[in-house]
Amino acid sequence: MYGKINLKPTGKITVNSLGTWIFTYTTGEIGFKCRGKLLICMRHCSDWSNPQFDSPQDEGYTSVKSNKKVRFDVEFSAWKNFAYHPWQHILEITLKRGKLEKEDKIIVTLGDKNFGSLGIRGQSFAEPEFKFRVFVDPKGEAKFHELEDKSFHIPLVATSFSDLEITLPSQPIKGYLGRTTIRALDQYGNTTTLPKGKKIILYNDRKKIEIKSKNKGKKWIEASGNFLKDLSEKVIRVNLHMPDVNLEIKSNPCIQRKDNKKLLWGEIHAHSYLCDGTRWPEELLCFARDEARLDFASITSHDWELNENIFNRLKKTTNKLYSPGKFAIFLGFEWSGQHKNGGDHNIYFAGDEGELLSCGHTQYNYRKYISDRYPNSLLPPWVEPWMLKTPYENLKDVYSNLKNHNAMLIPHGGGRRANLDYHHPKLEPVLEITSCHQTFEQLAWESLHKGYRMGFIGGSDDHRGNPGDSHSTCRTENLNLPQHSGLVAAYSDECNRESIWSAFFRKEVYATTGARIILNFSINGHSMGSSIRQSKAEEARNIRISVFGTAPIRCIEIWRNARPLRSWEIQNLDYEIEYKDKERLDKIKWDNCILSGKEVKPCSSASGIPIKRADVVYYAKVVQFDGHTAWSSPVWIDFVTHK
């Protein structure tokens, strides 16, 4: 009745390659009337290059033709049709003059080369199930019907080997965590196949082994030689050399700690096909465990697309893949509320169970908050009654309902920036200071000035399907994710939910922009995340920082009360600092803080809980020459006078 459509060619596409793809729509029994529309949609996280219609000789040129003499209006928009989220990268084709009868054709050529164009570029990140969706409104009545065809499913595969990555655990731990892993990457950061038959040499001052990649299609391997078996040095790194291509790289550092704490790496802010991300939760968690070599992870799909059935699927996957002692997974989701109602916060649960407290489906949010900005947005055909239910649209309602759960909220800056006028000290131990969006140090400064005692973590807000190692997209004009993904490092007793959860609430965690920089920060022997009391104003604070970098260190900074206090210019891989802040505690003040044109003042309470801003707050910041950065969680000091 509504016609049919197919796409050619079919088959695998190499990421970021130029090509031509042709959609052929054949009209159905009712034909295609004037003002009828055809929509070809992609997910908004894709960086497939935008089609253009004005320069036939340039990349991306797209043509629309028919076997009849008719005229079309053609438009591409990434945001106008927000109600179609996440399928809102839409090529909209409208018949403006004439009409089509049954069995007539509309031919849409993405990357038409007939006039000199080299074609159009595919997405730069690999995806096993890339998909187009197509909708048709043949009568021009704003009533759309989906057309499906198996040709719309296209595997996007990595290009050839460009680089290798070698990863060590940050400290030797008996059993599972004592592994040396080698992974192959293409030039866009996608995991690809190891070069077959190439010799790989791993070596350091104590050991040398040779490896040959024999298995066709292998993407990563674990080295059989254990460089960490007898760790007598303070720090170990392993060098990787591939003679055939003259490749030489150095691993991240591994150190032996004197206490029993384990330094574990995680990424707990990633999106899946359950919302607007890439890959299914199972695939993402396996990537995090096997390819990114993380110790813990979480999939935090936007609540905009979730209902109880979908959330239960996520819950089942999370609990199935959780492996205590080897790989910890937390059940979670992103509460993507409007900024005025609290802004973006990820919500996590300590155990097997949790409750979906949605800020509202896309369709609810579009109608209530967004339709005035996009008044001409087309409405999709998939709206169901549950999508329009009144949700938990204010963060205060979420706080109230989470009292019955062992839960944690983490505010972040990407998307709808977290509104720090909302805060719950017992539920929000940390904030996300860096992600693929950018670095959000202002968010950290605001929290400190308000008096909140929140540690710092890194994340990704990954939509590419690579939690723990998400690289920037090649094109950022639609979804701007220009940075490498961040990581969170946690000093934990064990690699399980309970211990890592405790590390978060102790705030014994820190953030990096993705490099496995080892950072220790303490004041008067108290580790990062501590709140300590000092009764003698004249007593100096003994600050200790030790850094083991993944590249030469450019500088180490101490920040006090959200202002830089002291910095050291460094050119070493490793460095230790001991510094005494001798300024009297009762003389140290907080400067006025103006952010986004508004003065940030200390809060006396949040969510009914009294808040006292610490007299002095310190944290450390490390910047490497390669640009990678690490931030410790702060240490808070309260000056206590005895009367």
Side-chain angles (χ1 to χ4, degrees):
M1 182 177 180
Y2 302 111
K4 59 185 180 181
I5 190 168
N6 63 60
L7 173 64
K8 291 183 178 179
T10 58
K12 296 178 181 179
I13 300 174
T14 301
V15 295
N16 210 42
S17 59
L18 284 162
T20 299
W21 291 272
I22 302 171
F23 288 90
T24 302
Y25 170 62
T26 304
T27 58
E29 294 180 1
I30 60 177
F32 203 86
K33 312 300 182 186
C34 188
R35 294 187 296 278
K37 290 181 182 289
L38 182 69
L39 308 180
I40 298 173
C41 308
M42 291 181 285
R43 300 173 78 89
H44 87 116
C45 65
S46 177
D47 70 344
W48 195 291
S49 63
N50 291 349
Q52 55 90 9
F53 319 103
D54 301 321
S55 301
Q57 72 280 8
D58 292 334
E59 188 176 303
Y61 180 65
T62 296
S63 64
V64 180
K65 300 176 181 178
S66 175
N67 61 311
K68 292 289 183 67
K69 289 186 177 182
V70 294
R71 185 169 70 84
F72 298 100
D73 272 359
V74 186
E75 177 186 7
F76 176 80
S77 172
W79 296 105
K80 186 186 85 171
N81 295 301
F82 187 87
Y84 269 73
H85 180 86
W87 299 93
Q88 66 201 69
H89 286 189
I90 298 179
L91 179 60
E92 183 178 340
I93 300 158
T94 306
L95 184 59
K96 296 299 288 185
R97 183 181 299 168
K99 66 177 182 177
L100 300 175
E101 306 293 343
K102 180 182 177 182
E103 300 293 327
D104 281 337
K105 311 286 186 185
I106 298 176
I107 301 166
V108 182
T109 304
L110 300 175
D112 191 336
K113 299 180 180 179
N114 288 321
F115 305 97
S117 173
L118 295 176
I120 193 169
R121 285 199 184 272
Q123 183 174 289
S124 69
F125 51 95
E127 182 177 358
E129 295 184 46
F130 178 87
K131 181 182 177 183
F132 290 99
R133 291 183 75 178
V134 177
F135 301 89
V136 64
D137 170 25
K139 294 184 179 181
E141 299 174 329
K143 296 179 180 179
F144 286 90
H145 308 273
E146 185 166 10
L147 302 176
E148 298 188 55
D149 192 84
K150 63 181 181 180
S151 64
F152 299 165
H153 296 257
I154 305 172
L156 285 156
V157 298
T159 187
S160 58
F161 152 80
S162 174
D163 200 1
L164 292 179
E165 176 185 84
I166 177 170
T167 304
L168 303 182
S170 289
Q171 66 188 98
I173 301 171
K174 184 179 179 181
Y176 176 78
L177 295 174
R179 54 193 180 164
T180 301
T181 308
I182 301 163
R183 180 164 68 109
L185 301 174
D186 71 9
Q187 67 189 91
Y188 309 111
N190 298 293
T191 306
T192 189
T193 53
L194 288 159
K196 186 180 179 183
K198 301 292 184 184
K199 183 190 295 184
I200 298 172
I201 301 172
L202 300 181
Y203 69 95
N204 61 13
D205 294 338
R206 296 187 300 113
K207 183 176 286 191
K208 177 179 177 180
I209 62 172
E210 292 187 5
I211 302 170
K212 268 196 175 181
S213 176
K214 299 178 181 179
N215 297 325
K216 186 178 180 181
K218 197 79 171 178
K219 295 183 177 182
W220 53 268
I221 55 176
E222 290 187 6
S224 57
N226 191 347
F227 287 86
L228 314 179
K229 188 175 182 180
D230 180 27
L231 186 63
S232 54
E233 294 93 341
K234 187 171 186 177
V235 58
I236 275 188
R237 293 179 178 86
V238 176
N239 302 293
L240 182 151
H241 178 56
M242 183 179 282
D244 291 348
V245 293
N246 198 28
L247 178 66
E248 185 87 26
I249 59 173
K250 191 181 291 289
S251 75
N252 59 297
C254 172
I255 66 169
Q256 181 70 62
R257 287 179 61 87
K258 294 179 181 179
D259 59 23
N260 292 322
K261 295 279 176 61
K262 299 171 175 61
L263 179 54
L264 305 178
W265 293 94
E267 212 297 71
I268 58 172
H269 186 181
H271 297 283
S272 72
Y273 281 148
L274 300 183
C275 59
D276 61 348
T278 303
R279 303 181 191 255
W280 296 107
E282 301 93 320
E283 297 172 301
L284 295 177
L285 291 168
C286 288
F287 178 94
R289 180 192 64 198
D290 299 330
E291 297 181 40
R293 283 317 200 208
L294 297 181
D295 304 308
F296 62 95
S298 179
I299 306 304
T300 51
S301 297
H302 289 285
D303 59 352
W304 281 20
E305 309 298 328
L306 302 181
N307 59 23
E308 287 299 332
N309 290 334
I310 299 172
F311 188 61
N312 284 335
R313 173 181 173 176
L314 178 60
K315 187 187 305 182
K316 183 177 179 180
T317 300
T318 298
N319 294 329
K320 177 183 176 182
L321 294 180
Y322 172 42
S323 180
K326 295 183 178 181
F327 186 56
I329 310 172
F330 294 98
L331 175 64
F333 64 92
E334 179 175 317
W335 187 86
S336 305
Q338 298 298 307
H339 176 75
K340 67 178 183 179
N341 294 335
D344 284 357
H345 285 67
N346 290 342
I347 298 176
Y348 306 90
F349 301 94
D352 291 348
E353 297 295 326
E355 183 180 359
L356 176 63
L357 303 172
S358 174
C359 74
H361 190 272
T362 299
Q363 300 308 318
Y364 177 91
N365 278 278
Y366 170 74
R367 285 159 172 76
K368 184 162 184 178
Y369 297 109
I370 303 171
S371 59
D372 58 335
R373 281 183 276 158
Y374 303 101
N376 298 317
S377 179
L378 303 169
L379 296 178
W382 61 68
V383 179
E384 299 178 22
W386 69 268
M387 298 178 181
L388 303 178
K389 287 183 177 179
T390 303
Y392 295 91
E393 58 184 331
N394 191 288
L395 198 56
K396 291 180 180 178
D397 299 328
V398 176
Y399 291 152
S400 178
N401 280 274
L402 286 177
K403 290 178 182 177
N404 300 322
H405 299 276
N406 191 359
M408 172 171 63
L409 287 87
I410 299 180
H412 62 269
R416 294 136 301 278
R417 184 182 184 276
N419 184 345
L420 294 190
D421 289 341
Y422 294 79
H423 181 60
H424 197 298
K426 293 185 178 180
L427 293 172
E428 296 179 87
V430 299
L431 62 80
E432 185 181 276
I433 196 173
T434 186
S435 73
C436 287
H437 289 279
Q438 65 182 76
T439 292
F440 297 97
E441 286 184 288
Q442 286 195 352
L443 197 67
W445 301 336
E446 182 182 353
S447 75
L448 295 175
H449 275 276
K450 284 180 174 291
Y452 303 160
R453 304 197 181 199
M454 304 174 77
F456 303 152
I457 69 164
S460 69
D461 208 346
D462 173 59
H463 290 70
R464 286 173 39 116
N466 298 324
D469 191 28
S470 185
H471 293 244
S472 59
T473 50
C474 285
R475 289 162 290 279
T476 59
E477 61 267 30
N478 295 329
L479 183 64
N480 190 15
L481 297 172
Q483 279 194 175
H484 190 279
S485 58
L487 290 174
V488 51
Y491 286 109
S492 176
D493 294 328
E494 299 293 340
C495 184
N496 58 37
R497 285 174 176 167
E498 296 78 12
S499 295
I500 297 169
W501 191 265
S502 177
F504 271 79
F505 276 88
R506 290 195 315 272
K507 308 172 186 66
E508 204 171 351
V509 295
Y510 64 92
T512 82
T513 52
R516 299 194 185 204
I517 301 165
I518 298 177
L519 172 60
N520 293 285
F521 175 69
S522 66
I523 296 180
N524 296 342
H526 297 274
S527 64
M528 66 178 79
S530 300
S531 290
I532 60 179
R533 295 156 66 90
Q534 184 173 325
S535 59
K536 296 179 180 179
E538 70 280 6
E539 187 176 56
R541 275 74 60 204
N542 298 308
I543 301 173
R544 299 193 65 177
I545 305 170
S546 62
V547 183
F548 302 89
T550 60
I553 302 163
R554 183 169 66 83
C555 68
I556 298 175
E557 301 171 353
I558 296 175
W559 285 61
R560 187 181 74 184
N561 290 5
R563 293 287 186 270
L565 172 66
R566 175 72 195 274
S567 68
W568 292 261
E569 299 296 322
I570 315 292
Q571 294 189 5
N572 300 347
L573 274 172
D574 310 322
Y575 206 76
E576 295 190 19
I577 290 171
E578 290 191 22
Y579 173 76
K580 287 182 181 291
D581 185 3
K582 297 180 180 180
E583 187 172 355
R584 286 181 61 92
L585 207 59
D586 55 358
K587 300 297 183 183
I588 300 173
K589 305 299 180 186
W590 287 83
D591 294 336
N592 290 337
C593 178
I594 307 295
L595 296 176
S596 302
K598 294 175 61 178
E599 183 178 1
V600 181
K601 296 182 179 181
C603 296
S604 59
S605 67
S607 302
I609 299 171
I611 289 179
K612 178 188 177 299
R613 186 169 69 179
D615 294 285
V616 186
V617 182
Y618 298 90
Y619 69 88
K621 178 180 178 181
V622 179
V623 183
Q624 297 185 154
F625 275 99
D626 63 2
H628 275 295
T629 304
W631 298 262
S632 76
S633 283
V635 172
W636 292 265
I637 299 179
D638 296 299
F639 179 41
V640 181
T641 57
H642 297 289
K643 295 182 179 180

